[in-house]
Amino acid sequence: MEIRTINNDGTTTLSLSGRLDTITSGKLGEEIDKVFQEEKVHLVLDFKELEYISSAGLRILLMAQKKANTLDASMKIINANESVKEVFTMTGFTSVLNIE
């Protein structure tokens, strides 16, 4: 998995490509932790090039959303493909995460 970071006027976008799984989820967790070290931040996760997400990836997203809520920050997911959206729907994450 590759992560590209773009900072723009208080919003940080992490663009992911490849697979978010047990092997790569730690890397995403580290990047999200770096973003949330700032005060009040807006985090956007761009999944346009993300091919696959496993339960380990879902766990990282859940932890990130909880951290965002604690910090009064915002987090949203954009451009997820149909198979990733289906995973969010089947697991009930559509009611927990802001998915556009």
Side-chain angles (χ1 to χ4, degrees):
M1 179 183 68
E2 182 181 334
I3 302 173
R4 291 179 307 280
T5 304
I6 302 164
N7 294 301
N8 188 14
D9 292 330
T11 298
T12 299
T13 301
L14 299 179
S15 296
L16 282 64
S17 61
R19 296 172 57 90
L20 180 53
D21 55 24
T22 303
I23 296 168
T24 60
S25 62
K27 181 179 177 183
L28 178 59
E30 291 171 7
E31 291 299 317
I32 290 172
D33 285 345
K34 288 179 192 175
V35 171
F36 284 140
Q37 287 177 357
E38 303 172 19
E39 291 184 27
K40 296 194 180 184
V41 67
H42 302 289
L43 174 62
V44 176
L45 299 169
D46 188 344
F47 283 6
K48 183 177 182 179
E49 297 178 21
L50 187 71
E51 301 164 5
Y52 171 83
I53 188 167
S54 73
S55 59
L58 293 173
R59 182 179 54 82
I60 291 295
L61 295 179
L62 183 60
M63 291 185 336
Q65 185 62 63
K66 287 181 179 181
K67 181 119 181 172
N69 294 346
T70 301
L71 297 173
D72 197 28
S74 68
M75 184 180 105
K76 70 179 175 180
I77 297 168
I78 62 171
N79 298 324
N81 67 33
E82 288 305 313
S83 63
V84 172
K85 284 182 182 178
E86 186 176 329
V87 171
F88 289 145
T89 300
M90 290 182 349
T91 57
F93 273 55
T94 53
S95 63
V96 177
L97 302 174
N98 180 6
I99 304 167
E100 295 183 4

